Amino acid sequence: MELGKYYSQNDKKLVQVNDQEWKVALKKCKNHIEWKLKAKTISGAHSASVLGGDPVEHYLGVAYEKLLAGDWEWKDEYGLAEQMIRIIDSQISKQVEKAETRKAHESQVVYMDMETGFYDIADAPLTPREEIMMDAQLQAIEKAIDGDDQLLFIVEALKEGKKRAEIAELLDITLGNWINSRRKLKEGS
């Protein structure tokens, strides 16, 4: 364990702490942690799986270690329990910030243009087997739309790599108008 810059100063104060003061400080700290993390240890930043052990023991250990190693300056105006609670509160806040930063990066929403992505996938090279299957599916589609000039035009435009907006422009229709015309056709038949 590396010693911090406050080691000598803290060591002088820790030597003066008797067993009873330690017991009282540890009890106060445990109660404080349990109160502070009430119902927050099941999942999230303060869960045992994230901290690597029991949250109460984790924060108690961190506070004890920071005082003992001299990583945290023990202010004269605070007793042992108050000093440890200050360290614990600081570490809890840091853990929340760390989790929120990690969560923000993990759950960042990345925009993907589905239409462009669809055509990018379509441009991927096909294996001979995939090519045969694609041709069979295309023939089935062409057979199914035989006699419907508008659908045939759309399929041909898609085969040429045209996008929805371009096809609609070529057909001089909006999607809503096209859906309504298809609905009227079905109702009439």
Side-chain angles (χ1 to χ4, degrees), residues 127-145:
T127 64
R129 185 169 188 260
E130 290 173 328
E131 212 169 303
I132 293 169
M133 289 177 62
M134 183 75 83
D135 286 339
Q137 290 172 346
L138 193 54
Q139 287 174 1
I141 290 170
E142 288 173 345
K143 185 178 178 184
I145 62 172

Side-chain angles (χ1 to χ4, degrees), residues 39-61:
K40 295 178 185 173
T41 59
I42 296 168
S43 66
H46 308 295
S47 66
S49 60
V50 171
L51 296 174
D54 178 59
V56 174
E57 295 300 320
H58 170 78
Y59 288 115
L60 263 178

Side-chain angles (χ1 to χ4, degrees), residues 181-189:
S181 68
R182 302 301 300 165
R183 193 174 292 139
K184 287 179 186 175
L185 263 173
K186 285 184 181 180
E187 290 171 0
S189 47

Side-chain angles (χ1 to χ4, degrees), residues 116-128 130-131 134:
T116 304
F118 173 77
Y119 290 104
D120 289 345
I121 292 170
D123 293 339
L126 299 174
T127 64
E130 290 173 328
E131 212 169 303
M134 183 75 83

